[in-house]
Amino acid sequence: MQKIKRAGLGLLLALSGWPLLLARLPDADWRYYGGDQGSSQYSALDQINKGNVNSLEVAWTYDISDGEDNRGIKCNPLIIDGILYGVTTMKNPFAIDARTGLEKWVLDLSQFPETGRPSSIRGMNYWENGDDKRLLYVYGRYLYAINATTGRLIEGFGEGGRIHFSTGIVSEGSENRVSLSTPGVVYGDLLIVGSTVSERLPAAPGDIRAFNVITGELVWIFHTIPRPGEFGYETWPEGAYKEVGGANSWGGMSLDPDRGIVYVPTGSPTYDFYGANRIGTNLFGNCLLALDAKTGRRIWHYQLVHHDLWDRDISSPPNLITVHHDGRDIDAVAQVTKQGYVYLFNRETGEPLFEIEEIPVPASVLPGEVAWPTQPIPKKPPPFARQGFGPDDVTDLSPEATAYVTAEMKKYKGAPFTPPDTEGILLAPGITGGANWSGAAFDQSSGLLYVSSNDFPWLVKLIDTHEPDEPLLSEPVTGKSLYMNFCAGCHGESGQGMEYVPSIEGLKDRSSMDQVVDVIVKGRGLMPPSAALNEDQVKAISSYILEIDVAENAFVDLSGNVEKSESVLRYTHRGYQVFRDQEGYPASKRPWSTVTAIDMNKGEIKWQVPLGEYEELVERGITQTGTTISGGLITTGGGLVFIGATRSDQKFRAFDKDTGQTLWELKLNGSVHNVPATYAIDGKQYLVFAVTGMPGKGFKDHFMALKLPARAINP
């Protein structure tokens, strides 16, 4: 909940003849990631409202450009006691005056030894006890405790202000690939966190952990891949916890402090698209977990995808809400998903509040794979994104596009939950959802849940990386096979690049062996460091990349010094690829992204509108298309839903939260990829978000705050 400061200021101002509008709006913080501990992404502030939103003007901007990172600024800032905390382009923490944008401090965490490459930071945690005020967040390999007043590390936390973030996780070869993108929650003196781990083997397990905020000591751990004797162990092959990673909570979590329950969504086990090494339902992958925040004890769980083969991570914090069902109010937890569904549960018992049915789904065709025969589908609310891809979903952008997509789609399967294979499947919603990390917003007064969603298919196609006479599971031994296992999933089979991933074709003409090795080892941009590869393997991949069109037998053969291992699977995927028409637009009917309002009392969609446009299509008279989106929304007591998220048109928008009508939009010189925040200081409401400049355009990343001019504030 927001921290509200109240005093006798209103009476004093009234007696002195000052305007009452300042007294009407008490100071209000944005103290938590997502606004409050229940991840509502809601503020009761109403000074900015439907009647005056089009009068918003820039209050201040703060330049955060301290390097080049093409992942975009995704940080939902914290605003506490007049100070705004966020991160720079290179993910260094800062504090500024939330009234003016004037800098108080910046801390360069890259200066500390072995800190590693930072994740795409979406926020941080705050804790205070009297004058002891701390920021806690993970930068690279370490969890840092930072004095929120001075910007210095807190010496008594761990070793000199930090602890290695793999603490408590035992996973040979992957300890340096445990990081965190989305903050956890603070319960008393405990920081409860998930993790970001490799999506390829070897990968660390996604254990949920609690650390003491004051000392950094590990207090409890919950194994998401159960150990012998633990609940769920039988849903995996024997000893799977030694080999399989993932089942991690990377999208954030929510806390009910009164009940002492933390609600934890988890992702898929590793590997995402082929699970021959993990036959079974795989608890607690793809689950919503309710844990005792004090001890880590499991209270209840519900698995939303069995034996995930589609990268259907539960990728956003659940919303803690209250709904009116069967004549009574029920405290509930709502979880939006990549597959375009909302699941609703009783917060205490885990009982579904709308019926969930186990639906038969297609079987596997690949050797060694056994897809689970059913998947849990809620009967209400209806999905907010299309399910599967068939003839009725084909684009009507132009006759040429319709003909092209109709011919192409015949090569692939498009039914929901079809297991990936070497022929290819069309996954709809795609890898990025449906809903994704930015989550949903909830307005308790109306019972409406607001969610932004992508709505177009992706092509998922697997590659057999082994020769027919090789065993099912074995370690690749050539530069090509190593590339196919570790690199093709992002860069493509021939290095052509994929969605958000640059091409490496022709790299031999512009890079040296040392340069390529350095990037593979250390990572760059979206690419993580390759802790799973040894020196010879890195050199073999580099040789293959730099001579990508020469015969395979010209590459380094590592068969003499690489041990066979069951940690590398036979199949890898061809790369992350949106299924597109001949012009490069999504292959499905419009809209390609939406904002949806869902009545959680009735389980019905109230309205749904497109989000974003392609300017070149607008020039052709084609509007309201929706675009590829990345970023989140908030809703307010002023009757508004605010969101950026559209890279293509670089606009920030306000929708009428009752109807979905666009009331205002602001054209920017960059795009907004974070969840915005709103707060009030000195009787003024501010709206703040991060603006990411386009690479190569010379535009600096910055945070921007908006407010109303005095003339537009309703007395």
Side-chain angles (χ1 to χ4, degrees):
M1 298 179 63
Q2 293 176 346
K3 179 183 178 185
I4 303 292
K5 299 178 183 176
R6 301 187 183 276
L9 180 61
L11 177 62
L12 176 62
L13 293 175
L15 292 175
S16 63
W18 281 56
L20 286 175
L21 63 91
L22 294 182
R24 191 173 63 87
L25 188 68
D27 286 3
D29 291 348
W30 189 271
R31 178 168 283 260
Y32 304 96
Y33 177 76
D36 57 31
Q37 292 168 300
S39 303
S40 72
Q41 297 179 205
Y42 169 82
S43 170
L45 292 174
D46 61 0
Q47 188 179 83
I48 301 170
N49 55 54
K50 296 179 186 181
N52 59 25
V53 65
N54 57 4
S55 297
L56 282 171
E57 62 183 21
V58 177
W60 53 257
T61 62
Y62 173 67
D63 182 359
I64 58 172
S65 298
D66 59 351
E68 184 174 337
D69 190 325
N70 62 1
R71 290 172 289 181
I73 308 302
K74 297 183 174 69
C75 179
N76 176 232
L78 305 181
I79 301 93
I80 301 166
D81 296 334
I83 307 299
L84 184 147
Y85 304 97
V87 300
T88 67
T89 299
M90 297 308 293
K91 314 306 180 283
N92 290 307
F94 67 80
I96 59 176
D97 188 317
R99 299 170 180 81
T100 63
L102 294 177
E103 184 178 294
K104 290 185 171 294
W105 56 259
V106 181
L107 177 62
D108 181 6
L109 291 177
S110 66
Q111 66 181 293
F112 298 102
E114 301 179 348
T115 192
R117 173 181 170 273
S119 299
S120 181
I121 303 298
R122 302 187 182 103
M124 58 185 72
N125 291 110
Y126 177 87
W127 175 90
E128 71 177 21
N129 184 11
D131 292 333
D132 188 354
K133 301 177 180 182
R134 304 184 177 203
L135 294 173
L136 301 122
Y137 94 113
V138 177
Y139 180 102
R141 303 186 184 108
Y142 287 85
L143 168 62
Y144 288 85
I146 301 163
N147 185 308
T149 304
T150 66
R152 299 189 182 98
L153 296 188
I154 295 175
E155 293 293 328
F157 181 89
E159 296 184 8
R162 67 179 188 170
I163 61 171
H164 203 289
F165 197 58
S166 67
T167 299
I169 294 180
V170 179
S171 181
E172 185 175 354
S174 60
E175 64 274 3
N176 287 332
R177 303 193 73 179
V178 182
S179 190
L180 187 67
S181 298
T182 309
V185 297
V186 173
Y187 177 71
D189 290 343
L190 295 180
L191 172 66
I192 304 169
V193 291
S195 61
T196 303
V197 302
S198 175
E199 296 196 354
R200 293 182 176 275
L201 295 169
D207 297 333
I208 312 304
R209 294 164 293 162
F211 294 95
N212 185 283
V213 169
I214 300 170
T215 66
E217 176 188 5
L218 178 64
V219 177
W220 59 253
I221 186 166
F222 178 87
H223 299 129
T224 60
I225 302 176
R227 308 291 177 87
E230 294 179 340
F231 186 96
Y233 180 73
E234 72 284 355
T235 67
W236 300 80
E238 186 174 355
Y241 68 96
K242 299 177 182 178
E243 297 287 341
V244 181
N248 55 307
S249 181
W250 61 265
M253 51 188 71
S254 301
L255 177 71
D256 183 333
D258 295 332
R259 291 180 171 88
I261 301 176
V262 59
Y263 298 89
V264 182
T266 62
S268 59
T270 308
Y271 169 59
D272 287 335
F273 303 105
Y274 180 68
N277 62 333
R278 52 179 176 88
I279 301 303
T281 54
N282 305 149
L283 293 179
F284 293 95
N286 305 88
C287 283
L288 180 59
L289 282 162
L291 303 180
D292 184 316
K294 186 176 181 180
T295 65
R297 176 183 61 87
R298 181 185 64 89
I299 298 172
W300 60 262
H301 76 276
Y302 206 100
Q303 189 173 51
L304 305 187
V305 182
H306 308 312
H307 189 74
D308 185 13
L309 300 172
W310 306 273
D311 195 15
R312 294 304 199 196
D313 299 337
I314 307 178
S315 57
S316 60
N319 300 93
L320 303 190
I321 69 178
T322 300
V323 295
H324 192 74
H325 281 204
D326 300 325
R328 62 192 181 101
D329 289 338
I330 302 173
D331 288 343
V333 52
Q335 183 68 65
V336 297
T337 62
K338 281 187 179 183
Q339 54 266 40
Y341 291 110
V342 185
Y343 294 82
L344 186 67
F345 303 97
N346 182 297
R347 205 183 300 179
E348 291 187 342
T349 66
E351 175 190 2
L353 297 183
F354 293 119
E355 183 181 353
I356 299 174
E357 185 178 5
E358 290 285 341
I359 302 295
V361 295
S364 307
V365 298
L366 292 182
E369 182 60 273
V370 183
W372 200 255
T374 63
Q375 294 294 341
I377 308 299
K379 288 193 171 182
K380 294 176 73 173
F384 52 83
R386 79 189 77 225
Q387 299 296 301
F389 189 76
D392 293 340
D393 301 303
V394 172
T395 179
D396 56 3
L397 191 63
S398 68
E400 295 79 12
T402 301
Y404 176 86
V405 172
T406 299
E408 284 294 304
M409 70 176 293
K410 293 177 181 178
K411 302 175 184 178
Y412 313 113
K413 305 178 185 73
F417 290 103
T418 298
D421 59 28
T422 54
E423 299 299 318
I425 66 165
L426 297 176
L427 186 65
I431 303 297
T432 55
N436 209 311
W437 63 266
S438 54
F442 183 70
D443 176 11
Q444 187 63 62
S445 64
S446 64
L448 293 180
L449 185 80
Y450 302 92
V451 59
S452 56
S453 171
N454 286 304
D455 199 353
F456 45 83
W458 287 57
L459 174 60
V460 178
K461 193 172 184 179
L462 300 185
I463 306 168
D464 189 342
T465 64
H466 291 253
E467 299 299 329
D469 58 348
E470 286 186 321
L472 179 61
L473 302 174
S474 66
E475 183 81 24
V477 294
T478 65
K480 179 179 180 180
S481 57
L482 285 163
Y483 175 87
M484 292 300 176
N485 270 276
F486 293 99
C487 311
C490 291
H491 288 288
E493 188 176 8
S494 63
Q496 74 272 19
M498 295 290 169
E499 194 79 4
Y500 311 122
V501 181
S503 167
I504 56 173
E505 292 178 313
L507 198 63
K508 64 180 181 180
D509 297 326
R510 58 184 189 274
S511 295
S512 67
M513 171 68 80
D514 288 344
Q515 289 173 321
V516 174
V517 167
D518 187 67
V519 171
I520 294 174
V521 171
K522 297 180 181 178
R524 178 181 296 176
L526 290 169
M527 180 177 165
S530 299
L533 298 169
N534 63 35
E535 182 179 354
D536 287 336
Q537 290 170 317
V538 170
K539 288 182 179 178
I541 293 174
S542 302
S543 298
Y544 177 70
I545 291 172
L546 293 171
E547 299 289 343
I548 203 162
D549 56 354
V550 303
E552 183 180 348
N553 59 15
F555 301 129
V556 178
D557 184 354
L558 300 181
S559 57
N561 58 15
V562 177
E563 295 181 2
K564 297 292 182 182
S565 168
E566 294 192 356
S567 67
V568 176
L569 298 176
R570 175 172 176 174
Y571 294 93
T572 186
H573 72 117
R574 191 174 294 268
Y576 295 102
Q577 185 175 1
V578 173
F579 187 48
R580 300 182 182 277
D581 69 13
Q582 82 287 358
E583 289 187 272
Y585 297 107
S588 56
K589 281 190 173 74
R590 296 156 281 161
W592 297 317
S593 66
T594 58
V595 174
T596 305
I598 304 170
D599 187 325
M600 297 304 294
N601 296 317
K602 298 178 180 179
E604 299 173 355
I605 290 178
K606 182 173 183 180
W607 54 258
Q608 185 176 76
V609 296
L611 177 59
E613 296 178 318
Y614 290 94
E615 294 180 350
E616 67 274 15
L617 291 180
V618 172
E619 293 176 359
R620 290 160 50 178
I622 303 172
T623 61
Q624 298 296 300
T625 58
T627 69
T628 299
I629 61 170
S630 175
L633 49 74
I634 62 171
T635 185
T636 71
L640 301 168
V641 173
F642 291 103
I643 187 170
T646 55
R647 185 189 297 265
S648 61
D649 61 18
Q650 300 183 346
K651 290 182 179 180
F652 191 81
R653 293 175 166 86
F655 294 94
D656 184 318
K657 73 178 184 182
D658 297 313
T659 66
Q661 178 186 358
T662 301
L663 298 180
W664 166 82
E665 56 187 33
L666 176 66
K667 177 69 173 178
L668 301 164
N669 290 324
S671 47
V672 177
H673 299 291
N674 69 329
V675 175
T678 188
Y679 59 97
I681 304 177
D682 300 335
K684 298 183 181 68
Q685 182 182 356
Y686 295 79
L687 178 70
V688 64
F689 48 85
V691 183
T692 299
M694 296 296 287
K697 299 293 185 179
F699 178 73
K700 294 183 177 181
D701 299 337
H702 62 269
F703 271 85
M704 174 182 287
L706 308 178
K707 65 177 180 61
L708 293 169
R711 58 178 170 76
I713 298 176
N714 297 325

